[in-house]
Structure formats: structure tokens, C-alpha cells
Amino acid sequence: MDKLLIEGGVPLAGTITISGAKNAALPILAGTLLATRPVTISNVPHLKDVATTLTLLQKMGVIVTMDDRLNVEVNAAEVRERRAPYELVKTMRASILVLGPLVARFGEAYVSLPGGCAIGARPVNLHVDGLRAMGAAVDVENGFIHARAKRLHGAHIVFDTVTVTGTENLMMAATLADGKTVLENAAREPEVTDLARFLMGLGARIQGAGTSTIVIEGVDALGGGEHRVLPDRIETGTYLVAAAMTGGKVKLNKTDPNILEAVLGKLREAGANLQLGDDWIELDMQGKRPRAVNIRTLPYPAFPTDMQAQFCAMNAMADGVGTVTETVFENRFQHVLELQRMGADIRIEHNMAIITGIPRLTAAPVMATDLRASAGLVLAGLAAEGETLVDRIYHVDRGYERIEEKLQQLGARIRRVP
Ligand code: EPU
């Protein structure tokens, strides 16, 4: 199993390119199941979760081809299997995103029920309730969600909780339903909007994506099209925090400053000097130690839970005391125990971490437990004194494209070791 070996203490400096967003690419790839003609998707990040999604599509009979510039062409004209097997779903919960498209287009889906997760219970009841409201019969049999409907019909759905993939699943299902579907208290994440843009390019009729009320007018069929995946705001934020923690200066290209305002605001509060262009962000820390900041995670446009671990790492070496309150997932503080092994002074009270910054973290062998927790540990290693070994980095590879290469480009002393 690969590990990352990091010699901390180098202020990051230089320019890198941000990849396409994982959490937009996954629903868009699932959404290709709705299209009767070929679809070309560009700016697809080269990640483990993307590979898993492509394998899932191929197992269903979808033809997937990739050109040398990593444009992915998906042809779902023929789909013989309507099943997402446990072996794939257990490695990637986002597999649940095929549920809506399969029932909507083929009238039937078997999707393994995702099990527990390192960051919380993560049920999918809202996905299932929504499909039932649209007329599907849904049972859980032998660990599988079995959904059937001759043709889904439109419905008025008010989500109890803001759910990103729940919104995406039902929005996709509604594109082929009979009549109008209204999704209220819908997720407003930029990735939901990007998925809507993709679906509209195939001929779907969607209004209001990016707001909390999305209205979908069902059509009989979706054709083919082309789409470029939006930049990854979490990858962007992660590299910005890395620069802030090391007192560095970095420029990130091919990103979008307009989709991470809450994160940029907190970085300014921490003392970072930011310059923004249309598709680039430059952060200059001028060699300073960041100031501690208070964070509260909430659905978009507020501060993202997927940046929480990285800010815990920053607060751990910042000047002052910062609180980090997690309101989206109930168990997303596993990185805290590892950060404590690097000397961090963190106390957890219910869903709040109270972090008193120390001048310098010290290197230690640490273990990644989930994707963003592992990003937090890599950042801590970059800022720490000594050599940090981050184990179980398959979690990192699920969501960060060539992380060690990008960090090396910024001057970090980091390498992958077997
Ligand atoms: N929830 C329910 N019932 C449901 C669905 C969700 O109670 O049917 C609860 C969850 O348990 C959680 C809250 O609602 O407490 C929000 O979860 P949500 O459904 O929004 O999360 P998700 O769609 O499973 C996506 C991202 C996550 C990101 C969250 C929150 C994808 C593929 N995943 O997950 O990304 O943390 O939204 O923004 O888009 C990551 O990239 O590392 C990651 C975990």
C-alpha cells in the first residue's frame, strides 16, 4: 500500500493547474445513462473514483472511450445491465447516482445499498423517498435497492435536509419523467448547477439549478452532447491552505474564484493576500504564520464540509484559538486524532473542535481515514518539522489528481513510497 513521505517546512511557491471537479464529474458520468446518443465530457479528472464510475458504466454495457487528452466519450445507447454491484458501491458511495437515471430511462434499477461510512451514517432515504413520490416502487432486497416504474411522473418534493447527491439523483430522474417536478430545499452546490447545465445540453428542461427550488419539465428522451466539467473548488481550496500554512506564494490556474467565496473569505481572515482573475487565484502569505479562524460547515454557499479537515490542520499551527463546527456530517473529526499525534492542541466538544494553534507541528507517522481527512494530514505534514509518513493514501487518490506531482511543482519535498 502506497504512502506519502513529506519533509515539512518548505514554503510552497509556483504555479499549478487545477483539475476538473470530482463531485461534478461523478454525477455527470452517471447522467450519461440518460442519453441515447454519444456524449463527450472534457476536463474529467484522472482519479480513482472516476475510474470506478467508468468501470460501473462499462459493466452495464455502456461503451466508454478516452482520447489522449482525457476527453471521455460515453455511448449509453445500449445498456444491458441495470445493476450497480456491491463490490463497486462499497468502494464509492457516489455509485448511488446511477439509481435515478436507470429507473427514469429503463424503468428498473438494482443498486447495492451503500453501507456505513467513515464520516457518518450517510443514509440515502431522501433519494428513495423522492423516487417513490415520482411513482417508483422501491424495495430493499438482499442489500440492494430495487426500484421499478413504468414511467416516473412529476412530483413536488421538499427535502428534509439539503442533500447534494439526493438533489442530483432526483433532478436526473425528473428529466425523463412525465410532467413537472419541483425540488424544494434543493442543494445549491456549483456541482449541481454543472450537472444541470450538462443535462440541458442533452435536451433536458431544467430551471433554477443553483437556487433552492429546481423545476424540471420531463421530456421523452435525451440526445447526445458535449460538456466541460467545472474546476474543482475543493482541490483549489486545499492547495490555497497548503500555501497559507507554509507561508508561501502560489498561483492556481484553470479554477474559478466565484465558487469558493466562503473559503477565500476565511483565508483572508487568516492573513492571506489574495489576487483573483477570471480563472486564476494567487495567494501570497508573505512568509507569515496564519491567524486562527472560526469555521462552521454548512451547505453551499456557506463553508464546505469538504474543506473542514484542511482548516483544522491550519488552525493547529496558526496564531490563536479557532473553533471548527461540523454541522453536515456527524463523525467527520477523525483527522483530529492524527493531528494530535503531530502535537496539535485540539479539544472536541460535541460537533466542535476547539483548536489552540502551536508554532510548529512535529512530524509523525499518521493514517488517512477518508479523503478530506487525508488531505488535512498531507497539509499538516507540509508545515511540520521533520518527516511525516501518511499511510493509506488510496483515500487521497480518490479525490486529488497527482497530488505529489502538483505539490512537487510548488517545491514541496514529498514523494510516494511503496
Ligand atoms: N442525508 C440524509 N438522507 C439522505 C441523504 C443525505 O439524511 O438521503 C444527510 C447525510 O447523512 C448528511 C447530509 O444529509 O448528514 C448531507 O449529505 P449529502 O447527501 O449532501 O452528501 P452526499 O451527497 O452523500 C456530497 C459529496 C461529499 C460532500 C457532501 C456535502 C459527492 C459525490 N459527494 O455527498 O463529498 O461532503 O456532498 O457537501 O458529491 C468528498 O468529496 O470528500 C465528499 C465526501
Side-chain angles (χ1 to χ4, degrees):
M1 213 179 287
D2 285 0
K3 302 176 176 57
L4 284 174
L5 185 64
I6 307 165
E7 197 186 325
V10 182
L12 298 188
T15 303
I16 53 171
T17 300
I18 293 302
S19 302
K22 167 180 84 83
N23 288 348
L26 302 181
I28 288 168
L29 289 170
T32 61
L33 285 168
L34 293 161
T36 46
R37 294 172 49 76
V39 173
T40 304
I41 305 159
S42 57
N43 205 29
V44 177
H46 200 250
L47 298 170
K48 185 74 182 58
D49 277 7
V50 166
T52 305
T53 306
L54 295 177
T55 305
L56 179 58
L57 293 176
Q58 281 168 322
K59 274 187 184 295
M60 294 177 185
V62 172
I63 300 167
V64 177
T65 43
M66 225 177 287
D67 71 15
D68 49 4
R69 290 168 58 215
L70 285 181
N71 295 323
V72 178
E73 189 185 282
V74 181
N75 185 342
E78 306 278 337
V79 172
R80 41 165 208 275
E81 274 272 351
R82 285 105 207 235
R83 173 184 287 265
Y86 178 63
E87 295 72 57
L88 291 177
V89 179
K90 74 175 181 199
T91 66
M92 190 189 67
R93 299 180 61 84
S95 312
I96 190 73
L97 286 163
V98 300
L99 180 64
L102 286 176
V103 196
R105 179 156 166 226
F106 303 105
E108 185 159 48
Y110 284 95
V111 177
S112 171
L113 199 56
C117 175
I119 63 177
R122 302 186 78 182
V124 290
N125 57 308
L126 301 176
H127 305 230
V128 168
D129 292 350
L131 286 177
R132 284 194 176 126
M134 296 171 79
V138 189
D139 301 302
V140 175
E141 300 162 0
N142 307 110
F144 275 78
I145 301 171
H146 181 198
R148 311 170 297 289
K150 228 169 162 191
R151 183 173 182 195
L152 294 171
H153 57 71
H156 193 127
I157 295 163
V158 183
F159 289 104
D160 287 351
T161 306
V162 177
T163 161
V164 176
T165 51
T167 301
E168 292 166 344
N169 232 338
L170 299 183
M171 181 169 76
M172 290 191 280
T175 60
L176 294 182
D178 185 18
K180 178 161 99 178
T181 299
V182 180
L183 303 177
E184 288 200 70
N185 197 25
R188 290 179 282 168
E189 269 64 6
E191 294 74 20
V192 175
T193 313
D194 202 41
L195 172 66
R197 248 184 258 127
F198 161 71
L199 295 168
M200 290 190 283
L202 304 181
R205 294 175 58 192
I206 304 174
Q207 279 182 335
T211 76
S212 54
T213 305
I214 305 179
V215 180
I216 307 109
E217 205 54 78
V219 296
D220 289 338
L222 296 182
E226 284 179 13
H227 184 78
R228 183 178 169 82
V229 175
L230 93 169
D232 197 313
R233 64 196 163 98
I234 306 300
E235 188 198 23
T236 304
T238 302
Y239 287 111
L240 292 176
V241 176
M245 287 176 69
T246 57
K249 179 179 177 181
V250 301
K251 185 174 180 196
L252 309 180
N253 285 334
K254 293 206 176 162
T255 183
D256 182 354
N258 299 313
I259 56 175
L260 73 163
E261 284 183 0
V263 171
L264 297 182
K266 288 295 167 186
L267 284 166
R268 279 198 197 94
E269 221 179 294
N273 191 342
L274 293 172
Q275 306 271 1
L276 313 179
D278 281 350
D279 68 345
W280 57 266
I281 302 176
E282 189 172 74
L283 179 145
D284 187 355
M285 207 58 194
Q286 292 164 328
K288 287 179 308 203
R289 178 180 172 200
R291 286 190 293 273
V293 290
N294 297 330
I295 301 288
R296 187 181 176 82
T297 67
L298 281 169
Y300 190 84
F303 190 90
T305 173
D306 289 345
M307 283 301 299
Q308 184 257 98
Q310 300 86 319
F311 272 74
C312 280
M314 185 172 83
N315 273 346
M317 47 72 63
D319 186 13
V321 181
T323 58
V324 174
T325 309
E326 173 58 58
T327 79
V328 179
F329 291 111
E330 64 278 19
N331 188 27
R332 209 172 198 185
F333 275 135
Q334 301 210 28
H335 44 284
V336 164
L337 301 167
E338 298 298 294
L339 289 172
Q340 285 168 337
R341 303 188 52 255
M342 299 177 75
D345 178 352
I346 308 180
R347 205 172 77 238
I348 304 248
E349 280 185 14
H350 310 291
N351 65 341
M352 185 195 284
I354 302 152
I355 309 173
T356 305
I358 56 167
R360 197 81 200 262
L361 294 167
T362 44
V366 288
M367 187 111 79
T369 47
D370 74 79
L371 168 54
R372 308 302 169 186
S374 53
L377 298 177
V378 170
L379 300 192
L382 292 170
E385 191 170 327
E387 270 193 351
T388 297
L389 189 66
V390 184
D391 200 351
R392 302 210 176 152
I393 59 155
Y394 55 84
H395 290 293
V396 187
D397 294 331
R398 290 186 44 206
Y400 291 89
E401 186 171 47
R402 301 179 287 110
I403 193 168
E404 72 275 26
E405 280 177 43
K406 290 194 185 187
L407 286 169
Q408 282 161 4
Q409 245 174 293
L410 297 175
R413 287 194 286 260
I414 180 169
R415 65 194 162 87
R416 191 176 282 259
V417 293

